[in-house]
């Protein structure tokens, strides 16, 4: 008997926040840490798990992920890039849940601090009615996140050339990408520098 497609969120969070100068996922934004905001946005009935890839030494971030019921993925060797983090999360999910090819995984970069439940709902609703192989939200002329992949593409991550990132999948399977127009700028708002943080804090204080 077939079951409804399951969804697995992956948050790569093993970076060093070099440009920020301090752990950006623990910064306060409107009363919550950045990582707490993401985990709360993804706390959705259709989400089977929310896997957060964290460095072994990042004890404070691990505690915050655990506090908000995220599933910790702690690679033995710190992932050098997002692709390695995603590969570690996919392996962990595979071992725990044995997903079917028709299930999906959601790439949610940890530096997208204002992704919210409303945007997540829009993406999930679109995929439920049109389970394309890759679903990418587009705001204006820019593609954003979260990006949703069929689980069948999980095994393709290992084939990404060493000098390429996850965007290789979107180029390699360009004819299987569906773009979802969205109005929310949360899809393309990232957090990399102190200026980014000051701008976001100012915007949220004005709301």
């Amino acid at each position: 008997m077939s079951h409804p497609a399951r969804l697995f969120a992956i948050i790569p969070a093993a970076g060093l926040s070099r440009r920020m100068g301090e752990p950006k996922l623990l910064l306060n934004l409107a009363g919550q840490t950045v990582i707490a905001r993401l985990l709360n946005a993804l706390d959705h009935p259709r989400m089977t798990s929310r896997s957060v890839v964290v460095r072994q030494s990042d004890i404070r971030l691990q505690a915050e992920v655990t506090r908000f019921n995220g599933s910790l993925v702690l690679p033995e060797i710190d992932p050098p890039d997002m692709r390695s983090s995603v590969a570690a999360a996919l392996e962990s999910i595979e071992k725990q849940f044995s997903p079917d090819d028709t299930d999906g995984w959601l790439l949610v970069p940890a530096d997208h601090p204002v992704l919210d439940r409303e945007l997540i709902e829009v993406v999930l609703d679109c995929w439920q009615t049109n389970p394309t192989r890759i679903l990418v939200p587009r705001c204006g002329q820019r593609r954003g996140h979260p990006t949703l992949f069929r689980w069948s593409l999980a095994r393709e991550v290992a084939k990404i050339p060493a000098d390429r990132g996850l965007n290789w999948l979107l180029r390699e399977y360009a004819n299987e990408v569906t773009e979802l127009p969205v109005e929310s700028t949360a899809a393309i708002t990232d957090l990399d520098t102190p200026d980014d943080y000051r701008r976001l804090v100012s915007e949220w204080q004005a709301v």
Side-chain angles (χ1 to χ4, degrees):
M1 180 181 297
S2 62
H3 59 72
R6 295 171 295 175
L7 291 168
F8 304 92
I10 295 175
I11 304 175
L16 295 171
S17 301
R18 289 191 177 93
R19 283 186 285 175
M20 181 61 67
E22 59 182 306
K24 62 184 176 182
L25 302 186
L26 296 175
L27 291 172
N28 185 291
L29 186 59
Q32 300 180 76
T33 62
V34 170
I35 191 63
R37 292 187 61 84
L38 284 174
L39 287 170
N40 285 333
L42 291 163
D43 188 10
H44 190 281
R46 282 184 263 170
M47 206 69 65
T48 299
S49 70
R50 297 165 296 156
S51 297
V52 187
V53 185
V54 182
R55 286 177 286 114
Q56 291 272 357
S57 60
D58 201 341
I59 304 301
R60 289 177 60 208
L61 182 55
Q62 291 175 31
E64 189 74 349
V65 171
T66 300
R67 181 178 167 220
F68 289 91
N69 300 313
S71 298
L72 281 169
V73 178
L74 303 172
E76 292 185 10
I77 299 175
D78 289 343
D81 50 35
M82 183 182 291
R83 181 187 62 172
S84 301
S85 290
V86 169
L90 291 171
E91 181 180 1
S92 174
I93 293 167
E94 182 70 48
K95 289 179 179 177
Q96 185 174 359
F97 296 101
S98 300
D100 293 337
D101 280 354
T102 54
D103 292 332
W105 54 282
L106 206 67
L107 175 59
V108 188
D111 62 359
H112 277 55
V114 292
L115 290 179
D116 55 28
R117 176 67 72 90
E118 183 177 356
L119 178 58
I120 300 296
E121 285 272 9
V122 168
V123 173
L124 299 191
D125 286 347
C126 179
W127 194 73
Q128 187 172 32
T129 57
N130 178 27
T132 181
R133 208 162 185 209
I134 304 175
L135 179 63
V136 186
R138 174 183 281 277
C139 182
Q141 299 303 308
R142 292 176 56 190
R143 285 179 171 179
H145 288 289
T147 303
L148 209 162
F149 300 86
R150 284 264 195 97
W151 191 265
S152 58
L153 285 169
R155 66 181 67 94
E156 302 300 307
V157 172
K159 300 177 183 178
I160 298 175
D163 60 342
R164 304 290 179 86
L166 288 162
N167 280 336
W168 180 87
L169 288 175
L170 278 70
R171 291 189 291 269
E172 190 73 6
Y173 297 96
N175 62 337
E176 299 183 72
V177 174
T178 297
E179 291 188 346
L180 171 64
V182 298
E183 295 183 2
S184 174
T185 57
I188 56 174
T189 300
D190 54 17
L191 175 62
D192 290 318
T193 68
D195 284 344
D196 292 338
Y197 180 55
R198 284 189 288 269
R199 184 183 69 255
L200 284 171
V201 169
S202 177
E203 290 174 357
W204 278 84
Q205 287 175 339
V207 173

